[in-house]
Amino acid sequence: MVPGDASRRLFERARVVAAEQGRELAETALGGAGGGNVVSALGPPVLYGLGALGSGAHRPRPPRAHGCSP
């Protein structure tokens, strides 16, 4: 997913809210074919991959907004 301006603004707001709660929210880009890619291509702001931590692609680490790249 290539984030547009609206997604970047939404991510920055989410990052600030996370910081206010004492949490870190970082950007990352991963391969894959998720629905967020399709929706993002249509133009609305998208935060993708903010689910619970798990294993594999969801291994323990600070939460990240998948699909956004610095």
Side-chain angles (χ1 to χ4, degrees):
M1 174 181 121
V2 177
D5 291 339
S7 291
R8 289 193 181 281
R9 286 190 302 272
L10 180 60
F11 172 77
E12 182 56 27
R13 179 65 186 136
R15 191 191 63 74
V16 168
V17 169
E20 289 170 352
Q21 297 175 10
R23 301 174 185 267
E24 176 188 355
L25 184 64
E27 296 178 87
T28 190
L30 300 173
N37 295 326
V38 175
V39 173
S40 178
L42 297 174
V46 175
L47 287 180
Y48 196 54
L50 293 173
L53 299 175
S55 62
H58 304 285
R59 65 191 173 278
R61 61 177 180 236
R64 296 181 179 272
H66 296 221
C68 295
S69 58

